[in-house]
């Protein structure tokens, strides 16, 4: 009906347990089952994206609809590497680097590629900018608007990107088990299986974190330079510095050769870490 809309689609695949549809296993019949199922899930997701694009075309809105896709983390060891050192769950490039794809025929009529680093935190400010929306009392943002990049006017990123792998366990979500149980519950007319699985208090801030301790592995990417801050369980901190333009594999630590740059980037990184803790404690949202 001509009304602008926002749709967010989270694909559960590829993710463990990898169980591809039979028709998506056919192209990988010569591979061992685990790898065939992994690739088969990607093929199924590819088909789903095609279905989405086809429906946008059928509705006659594809030309002026932004379709934006990326993964949520780097690849898995041995099966889904995205390039660089490390893999999913790590702050080295192999755990961070993924391709981002954006389709908007009305504004980007010809395909083009860019090597300007972007991050998922850029999505929100970019969409606000495109929509011409200003948010009152907007809390601090890590991302920037990528409209200049879409317009071909951004050749380098104007602000660094921060990363932090905080040493805290995630929330176990055995989706295959839970979704199977949920399907059976719905067949019986029940809305859910265990209400306690609904984390209705997820928005409540009950824990306060010190703003002078930054455990775990963090990094500050100011292209082409990337500074790592690695703090172990005993509080010992080491720094590493890489020039990704010359050393995309992060194999040659040049920290000792760049003392001034290291000091500046360290100060910026630790200021950002303090701001993250500030937000984590709720101080940016009261």
């Amino acid at each position: 009906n001509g009304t602008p809309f926002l749709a967010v689609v989270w694909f559960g695949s590829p993710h463990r347990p990898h169980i591809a549809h039979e028709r998506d296993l056919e192209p990988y019949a010569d591979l061992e089952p685990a790898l065939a199922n992994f690739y088969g899930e990607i093929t199924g997701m590819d088909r789903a994206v095609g279905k989405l694009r086809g429906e946008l075309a059928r509705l006659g809105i594809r030309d002026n609809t932004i379709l934006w896709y990326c993964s949520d983390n780097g690849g898995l060891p041995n099966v889904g590497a995205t390039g660089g050192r490390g893999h999913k769950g790590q702050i080295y490039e192999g755990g961070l680097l993924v391709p981002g794809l954006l389709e908007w025929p009305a504004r980007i009529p010809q395909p083009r590629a860019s090597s300007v680093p972007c991050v998922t935190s850029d999505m929100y400010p970019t969409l606000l900018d495109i929509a011409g929306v200003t948010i009152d009392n907007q809390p601090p943002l890590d991302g920037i608007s990528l409209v200049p990049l879409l317009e071909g006017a951004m050749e380098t990123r104007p602000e660094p990107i921060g990363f932090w792998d905080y040493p805290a366990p995630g929330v176990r979500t055995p989706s295959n088990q839970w979704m199977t149980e949920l399907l059976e519950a719905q067949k019986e007319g029940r809305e859910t299986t265990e209400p306690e699985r609904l984390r209705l208090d997820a928005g409540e801030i009950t824990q306060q974190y010190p703003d002078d301790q930054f455990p775990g592995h963090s990094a500050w990417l100011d292209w082409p330079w990337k500074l790592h801050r690695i703090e172990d369980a005993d509080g010992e901190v080491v720094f590493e510095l890489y020039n990704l333009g010359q050393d995309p594999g992060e194999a040659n630590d040049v920290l000792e050769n760049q003392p001034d740059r290291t000091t500046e980037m360290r100060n910026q990184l630790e200021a950002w870490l303090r701001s993250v803790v500030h937000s984590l404690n709720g101080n940016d949202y009261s």
Side-chain angles (χ1 to χ4, degrees), residues 24-32 35-37 39-43:
D24 296 327
L25 288 172
E26 293 176 1
Y28 312 108
D30 58 336
L31 300 178
E32 54 94 11
L35 199 57
N37 276 284
Y39 289 157
E41 287 193 350
I42 295 175
T43 297

Side-chain angles (χ1 to χ4, degrees), residues 233-276:
D234 297 324
E236 295 294 324
V237 179
V238 296
F239 289 89
E240 299 172 0
L241 180 67
Y242 301 98
N243 184 326
L244 296 182
Q246 301 174 0
D247 178 27
E250 294 173 287
N252 182 28
D253 183 1
V254 295
L255 187 80
E256 294 184 359
N257 300 330
Q258 298 284 337
D260 294 339
R261 186 182 305 278
T262 297
T263 298
E264 180 181 5
M265 293 185 68
R266 173 178 175 173
N267 291 338
Q268 293 174 348
L269 171 59
E270 293 183 348
W272 177 77
L273 292 170
R274 282 190 292 273
S275 76
V276 171

